[in-house]
Amino acid sequence: MKVAVLGAGGRMGSMVCGAVDADRDLELVAAVDPARAADVVPGLSQATLRYSRDLPDMVAAGATVAVDFTTPEAVRANARYCAAHGMHLVVGTTGMGEAGEAELSRLYPKGGPLGCVVAANFAIGAVLSMRFAEMAAPWFETVEVIELHHDGKVDAPSGTALRTAERIAAASAEWAPDPTTSETVRGARGGVGPGGIHVHSVRLRGLVAHQEVLLGTVGETLTIRHDSIDRSSFMPGVVLALKAVAGLPGLTVGIDLLLGL
């Protein structure tokens, strides 16, 4: 499968380039990043590959699937271009919101010839932790989600935290009321997410991506925590999605299905 990486010059994009290059079943044919056009893509085992400036370069290179780690503003235009040119798509960009996901669903309809996998988190452990929280939810009376990320992340809360809250809320709608009647510091209780679940965001230099789900009931608490201590933790999930997307027509949200969950 011939792969094009969008946002290839960024930290995540460069790691995706390396992961694709290292996999015997994938071929990196284009690395698109206007800011680094004409620079040599570093660290690849294959012959010299230079960053491309424009999206048509990946079509000219024969890419059949694109993986997007750009920005919420760019990903929708990129998706329109990929769909129009018959390319499968894997999206790791978060912060698109419901409108962005709805557009991906229109561009990649069920029953159509193309597949699109969009995931808030490609780390296998993060996906499992969401499933564990979903399983635990009916057995507890209170829950809160705390997500912690590096200080370069611009959206809050994270897509993973929102997706986690959605899944917990779908698993149980019976939660004890919040006892807070006043906040000495506004926002101290965090944001209120799906199902009324409180979500807290931390942005701190030195972190990568971390999340805790705290569940409590009479006499006990359960903490489900996942830590990505390096961005390499996302690569197995990205590679898995790239290999599977052509066999998944339409929009697939998350990589749970790919893991048999």
Side-chain angles (χ1 to χ4, degrees), residues 27-45:
E27 179 185 359
L28 179 65
V29 297
V32 181
D33 195 308
R36 300 192 61 178
D39 291 346
V40 174
V41 180
L44 302 184
S45 63

PDB file of all heavy atoms in Angstrom, residues 27-45:
ATOM      1  N   GLU A  27       4.497   1.478   1.830  1.00  0.00           N
ATOM      2  CA  GLU A  27       5.516   2.221   1.099  1.00  0.00           C
ATOM      3  C   GLU A  27       5.224   3.716   1.217  1.00  0.00           C
ATOM      4  O   GLU A  27       4.156   4.176   0.817  1.00  0.00           O
ATOM      5  CB  GLU A  27       5.537   1.814  -0.374  1.00  0.00           C
ATOM      6  CG  GLU A  27       6.570   2.563  -1.201  1.00  0.00           C
ATOM      7  CD  GLU A  27       6.517   2.240  -2.682  1.00  0.00           C
ATOM      8  OE1 GLU A  27       5.672   1.399  -3.076  1.00  0.00           O
ATOM      9  OE2 GLU A  27       7.293   2.836  -3.445  1.00  0.00           O
ATOM     10  N   LEU A  28       6.156   4.456   1.775  1.00  0.00           N
ATOM     11  CA  LEU A  28       6.006   5.907   1.895  1.00  0.00           C
ATOM     12  C   LEU A  28       6.374   6.544   0.556  1.00  0.00           C
ATOM     13  O   LEU A  28       7.525   6.496   0.133  1.00  0.00           O
ATOM     14  CB  LEU A  28       6.917   6.434   3.001  1.00  0.00           C
ATOM     15  CG  LEU A  28       6.881   7.949   3.239  1.00  0.00           C
ATOM     16  CD1 LEU A  28       5.508   8.386   3.744  1.00  0.00           C
ATOM     17  CD2 LEU A  28       7.971   8.358   4.237  1.00  0.00           C
ATOM     18  N   VAL A  29       5.383   7.150  -0.106  1.00  0.00           N
ATOM     19  CA  VAL A  29       5.639   7.729  -1.430  1.00  0.00           C
ATOM     20  C   VAL A  29       5.562   9.249  -1.434  1.00  0.00           C
ATOM     21  O   VAL A  29       6.032   9.892  -2.377  1.00  0.00           O
ATOM     22  CB  VAL A  29       4.657   7.158  -2.481  1.00  0.00           C
ATOM     23  CG1 VAL A  29       4.862   5.665  -2.649  1.00  0.00           C
ATOM     24  CG2 VAL A  29       3.211   7.478  -2.121  1.00  0.00           C
ATOM     25  N   ALA A  30       4.970   9.844  -0.383  1.00  0.00           N
ATOM     26  CA  ALA A  30       4.881  11.303  -0.328  1.00  0.00           C
ATOM     27  C   ALA A  30       4.816  11.766   1.111  1.00  0.00           C
ATOM     28  O   ALA A  30       4.144  11.159   1.942  1.00  0.00           O
ATOM     29  CB  ALA A  30       3.654  11.798  -1.091  1.00  0.00           C
ATOM     30  N   ALA A  31       5.533  12.838   1.408  1.00  0.00           N
ATOM     31  CA  ALA A  31       5.523  13.467   2.730  1.00  0.00           C
ATOM     32  C   ALA A  31       5.204  14.939   2.509  1.00  0.00           C
ATOM     33  O   ALA A  31       6.056  15.704   2.050  1.00  0.00           O
ATOM     34  CB  ALA A  31       6.874  13.297   3.415  1.00  0.00           C
ATOM     35  N   VAL A  32       3.977  15.323   2.782  1.00  0.00           N
ATOM     36  CA  VAL A  32       3.495  16.662   2.433  1.00  0.00           C
ATOM     37  C   VAL A  32       3.634  17.611   3.616  1.00  0.00           C
ATOM     38  O   VAL A  32       3.082  17.374   4.687  1.00  0.00           O
ATOM     39  CB  VAL A  32       2.023  16.612   1.966  1.00  0.00           C
ATOM     40  CG1 VAL A  32       1.536  18.011   1.572  1.00  0.00           C
ATOM     41  CG2 VAL A  32       1.869  15.641   0.795  1.00  0.00           C
ATOM     42  N   ASP A  33       4.384  18.676   3.413  1.00  0.00           N
ATOM     43  CA  ASP A  33       4.529  19.730   4.417  1.00  0.00           C
ATOM     44  C   ASP A  33       5.049  20.986   3.725  1.00  0.00           C
ATOM     45  O   ASP A  33       6.241  21.078   3.428  1.00  0.00           O
ATOM     46  CB  ASP A  33       5.487  19.290   5.524  1.00  0.00           C
ATOM     47  CG  ASP A  33       5.379  20.186   6.753  1.00  0.00           C
ATOM     48  OD1 ASP A  33       5.464  21.427   6.598  1.00  0.00           O
ATOM     49  OD2 ASP A  33       5.174  19.674   7.860  1.00  0.00           O
ATOM     50  N   PRO A  34       4.160  21.946   3.434  1.00  0.00           N
ATOM     51  CA  PRO A  34       4.567  23.146   2.683  1.00  0.00           C
ATOM     52  C   PRO A  34       5.723  23.898   3.334  1.00  0.00           C
ATOM     53  O   PRO A  34       6.557  24.483   2.631  1.00  0.00           O
ATOM     54  CB  PRO A  34       3.293  23.995   2.672  1.00  0.00           C
ATOM     55  CG  PRO A  34       2.174  23.017   2.827  1.00  0.00           C
ATOM     56  CD  PRO A  34       2.715  21.946   3.733  1.00  0.00           C
ATOM     57  N   ALA A  35       5.776  23.874   4.657  1.00  0.00           N
ATOM     58  CA  ALA A  35       6.822  24.627   5.352  1.00  0.00           C
ATOM     59  C   ALA A  35       8.208  24.029   5.148  1.00  0.00           C
ATOM     60  O   ALA A  35       9.217  24.706   5.373  1.00  0.00           O
ATOM     61  CB  ALA A  35       6.506  24.705   6.850  1.00  0.00           C
ATOM     62  N   ARG A  36       8.264  22.765   4.727  1.00  0.00           N
ATOM     63  CA  ARG A  36       9.561  22.112   4.576  1.00  0.00           C
ATOM     64  C   ARG A  36       9.769  21.576   3.162  1.00  0.00           C
ATOM     65  O   ARG A  36      10.583  20.682   2.947  1.00  0.00           O
ATOM     66  CB  ARG A  36       9.690  20.963   5.590  1.00  0.00           C
ATOM     67  CG  ARG A  36       9.585  21.422   7.030  1.00  0.00           C
ATOM     68  CD  ARG A  36       9.998  20.349   7.995  1.00  0.00           C
ATOM     69  NE  ARG A  36      11.395  19.960   7.796  1.00  0.00           N
ATOM     70  CZ  ARG A  36      12.013  19.052   8.546  1.00  0.00           C
ATOM     71  NH1 ARG A  36      11.361  18.459   9.538  1.00  0.00           N
ATOM     72  NH2 ARG A  36      13.271  18.736   8.320  1.00  0.00           N
ATOM     73  N   ALA A  37       9.001  22.108   2.226  1.00  0.00           N
ATOM     74  CA  ALA A  37       9.088  21.636   0.839  1.00  0.00           C
ATOM     75  C   ALA A  37      10.529  21.677   0.336  1.00  0.00           C
ATOM     76  O   ALA A  37      11.273  22.627   0.588  1.00  0.00           O
ATOM     77  CB  ALA A  37       8.199  22.476  -0.052  1.00  0.00           C
ATOM     78  N   ALA A  38      10.898  20.599  -0.333  1.00  0.00           N
ATOM     79  CA  ALA A  38      12.214  20.405  -0.952  1.00  0.00           C
ATOM     80  C   ALA A  38      13.273  19.918   0.032  1.00  0.00           C
ATOM     81  O   ALA A  38      14.342  19.474  -0.377  1.00  0.00           O
ATOM     82  CB  ALA A  38      12.707  21.666  -1.662  1.00  0.00           C
ATOM     83  N   ASP A  39      13.017  19.982   1.349  1.00  0.00           N
ATOM     84  CA  ASP A  39      13.961  19.399   2.307  1.00  0.00           C
ATOM     85  C   ASP A  39      13.912  17.876   2.202  1.00  0.00           C
ATOM     86  O   ASP A  39      12.874  17.293   1.896  1.00  0.00           O
ATOM     87  CB  ASP A  39      13.599  19.785   3.743  1.00  0.00           C
ATOM     88  CG  ASP A  39      13.830  21.261   4.028  1.00  0.00           C
ATOM     89  OD1 ASP A  39      14.504  21.919   3.212  1.00  0.00           O
ATOM     90  OD2 ASP A  39      13.329  21.738   5.065  1.00  0.00           O
ATOM     91  N   VAL A  40      14.993  17.234   2.487  1.00  0.00           N
ATOM     92  CA  VAL A  40      15.035  15.774   2.499  1.00  0.00           C
ATOM     93  C   VAL A  40      14.366  15.270   3.770  1.00  0.00           C
ATOM     94  O   VAL A  40      14.621  15.764   4.868  1.00  0.00           O
ATOM     95  CB  VAL A  40      16.487  15.267   2.428  1.00  0.00           C
ATOM     96  CG1 VAL A  40      16.536  13.753   2.593  1.00  0.00           C
ATOM     97  CG2 VAL A  40      17.131  15.678   1.105  1.00  0.00           C
ATOM     98  N   VAL A  41      13.495  14.275   3.623  1.00  0.00           N
ATOM     99  CA  VAL A  41      12.867  13.649   4.793  1.00  0.00           C
ATOM    100  C   VAL A  41      13.947  12.825   5.499  1.00  0.00           C
ATOM    101  O   VAL A  41      14.520  11.920   4.905  1.00  0.00           O
ATOM    102  CB  VAL A  41      11.686  12.747   4.373  1.00  0.00           C
ATOM    103  CG1 VAL A  41      11.055  12.109   5.605  1.00  0.00           C
ATOM    104  CG2 VAL A  41      10.654  13.555   3.594  1.00  0.00           C
ATOM    105  N   PRO A  42      14.232  13.125   6.774  1.00  0.00           N
ATOM    106  CA  PRO A  42      15.367  12.472   7.436  1.00  0.00           C
ATOM    107  C   PRO A  42      15.038  11.078   7.950  1.00  0.00           C
ATOM    108  O   PRO A  42      13.890  10.734   8.207  1.00  0.00           O
ATOM    109  CB  PRO A  42      15.649  13.417   8.620  1.00  0.00           C
ATOM    110  CG  PRO A  42      14.304  13.994   8.953  1.00  0.00           C
ATOM    111  CD  PRO A  42      13.598  14.149   7.624  1.00  0.00           C
ATOM    112  N   GLY A  43      16.089  10.271   8.082  1.00  0.00           N
ATOM    113  CA  GLY A  43      15.985   9.011   8.810  1.00  0.00           C
ATOM    114  C   GLY A  43      15.286   7.871   8.107  1.00  0.00           C
ATOM    115  O   GLY A  43      14.916   6.893   8.751  1.00  0.00           O
ATOM    116  N   LEU A  44      15.096   7.968   6.797  1.00  0.00           N
ATOM    117  CA  LEU A  44      14.401   6.897   6.087  1.00  0.00           C
ATOM    118  C   LEU A  44      15.399   5.890   5.535  1.00  0.00           C
ATOM    119  O   LEU A  44      16.513   6.234   5.153  1.00  0.00           O
ATOM    120  CB  LEU A  44      13.557   7.471   4.940  1.00  0.00           C
ATOM    121  CG  LEU A  44      12.491   8.502   5.321  1.00  0.00           C
ATOM    122  CD1 LEU A  44      11.680   8.887   4.093  1.00  0.00           C
ATOM    123  CD2 LEU A  44      11.577   7.971   6.419  1.00  0.00           C
ATOM    124  N   SER A  45      14.945   4.641   5.455  1.00  0.00           N
ATOM    125  CA  SER A  45      15.821   3.592   4.935  1.00  0.00           C
ATOM    126  C   SER A  45      15.815   3.563   3.414  1.00  0.00           C
ATOM    127  O   SER A  45      16.739   3.046   2.797  1.00  0.00           O
ATOM    128  CB  SER A  45      15.363   2.228   5.464  1.00  0.00           C
ATOM    129  OG  SER A  45      14.049   1.926   5.001  1.00  0.00           O
TER     130      SER A  45
END
